[in-house]
Amino acid sequence: MKSTLSSSSKKWVYDAIARIEADYNRSADTHLIRLELPKAPGITLYLKDESSHPTGSLKHRLARSLFLYALCNGWIKQNTPIVEASSGSTAVSEAYFAKLLGLRFIAVMPYKTSMAKIDAIKFYGGECHLVSSPKTVYDEAARLAKETGGFYLDQFTYAERATDWRGNNNIAESIFAQMAYEEYSVPRYVVVGAGTGGTSATIGRFIRYKQLATELCVADPQGSVFHRHFNDRTLLEIETCTSLIEGIGRPRVEKSFIPELIDCMIAVTDHQSLTAMQVISQKLNRRCGGSTGTNIWACIQLIKKMIADGEQGSIVTLLCDSGERYTTTYYNDAWIEDKIGDCNSLKAEIEAII
Ligand SMILES: *Cc1c(COP(=O)(O)O)cnc(C)c1O
């Protein structure tokens, strides 16, 4: 039998895998922040701080997994240009790994992608290919990969399967290990958003694999298709995803989104997400991104339900990325005033809980 990898290309692939593993070995895990809730006695909120990865978001885990999966499959070889469709954060993390391996990287993104993300991709030597409609990123990435003889990483298809769901220090294993010494070590809920759906799939599978009582709740922007699909599995696509929250919510049900692993979904308006983002940023004394606000709004709803049901316990959610990526939008008063208006009444509602 003939190997599809010659011995010289095998050596490059092995060296590439070793470089990613050495980079991982030099890195620390992300913190799990504990937030006391004096207004909700007996309930504790935890935030897994994914902004502390070298490339600033939870997409650092995904990028590593996608590269390792593609390398082990023989899909990436020496000099293979790497192409990806992204709303920004994934491309930043993938540009980091492409640079680590000395590979050309092209990100296909909607033109409205934040300048901070574009600058970060360029910092790692990546190229940005901007398209006018968010729905054309997939076809354009596939076309560019073909044209350059490159490989389309395709996060929206491969996110759920590229991650080792039983462990290998995936986000789920890390969260549950870090909860071990807390008074409610098995959380009542884990709350996450969905962009690819990969994070929710990894956590959902891990919960079942470890036979835990934890329920998985996905917080989804009102304008996204995912929560509609959760309630009506025949609905696969909407015209556009109108949400202002970057990183989560899609107009198309992505292959990596697996509704069977989710216990409940909560639809969140941009107004609710961005107000919750402001409150949690104040509580933590640092700026969080918009999708963290979406998560926090959903957590508030679950905490209210726990209080009403007389339950005590813990809730874990994700601090997905830092607000420093959004200084011209979410942290610009004029932008907020223009896009969502007054936040004060909702703020009071959130501050009644956290
Ligand atoms: C991608 C992303 C998410 C959701 O993660 P997935 O695993 O892709 O579903 C949440 N927040 C931000 C900022 C993201 O970039």
Side-chain angles (χ1 to χ4, degrees), residues 57-59 62 87-90 117 155-156 159 192-201 226 245-249 257 289-292 295 318-321 325-326:
S57 82
L58 76 173
K59 292 306 191 312
L62 173 61
S87 65
S89 292
T90 304
K117 290 181 188 173
Q155 59 166 332
F156 295 108
V192 300
T196 63
T199 305
S200 64
F226 291 134
I245 309 303
E246 292 188 35
I248 58 170
F257 178 77
S291 73
T292 304
N295 290 341
L318 308 183
L319 198 172
C320 309
D321 64 0
R325 285 192 168 161
Y326 311 101

Side-chain angles (χ1 to χ4, degrees), residues 26-74:
R26 293 191 300 271
S27 307
D29 198 1
T30 61
H31 304 290
L32 186 65
I33 301 168
R34 179 181 158 119
L35 192 67
E36 307 295 337
L37 305 175
K39 294 166 200 158
I43 301 173
T44 315
L45 184 61
Y46 296 83
L47 289 103
K48 179 70 168 158
D49 181 11
E50 294 293 287
S51 74
S52 64
H53 284 293
T55 57
S57 82
L58 76 173
K59 292 306 191 312
H60 197 79
R61 294 180 194 271
L62 173 61
R64 172 177 170 263
S65 298
L66 287 170
F67 269 91
L68 283 174
Y69 189 65
L71 285 164
C72 292
N73 284 335

Side-chain angles (χ1 to χ4, degrees), residues 227-247:
H227 65 92
R228 294 172 223 212
H229 175 71
F230 188 72
N231 294 319
D232 171 7
R233 301 294 158 95
T234 64
L235 185 74
L236 298 172
E237 199 166 346
I238 52 176
E239 193 59 40
T240 47
C241 176
T242 51
S243 159
L244 298 168
I245 309 303
E246 292 188 35

Side-chain angles (χ1 to χ4, degrees), residues 2 30-31 45 58 71 76 85 91-92 102 111 120 127 225 256 276 312-313 318:
K2 191 175 173 298
T30 61
H31 304 290
L45 184 61
L58 76 173
L71 285 164
I76 296 176
V92 174
Y111 75 94
E127 299 160 44
V225 75
S256 271
Q312 302 202 323
L318 308 183

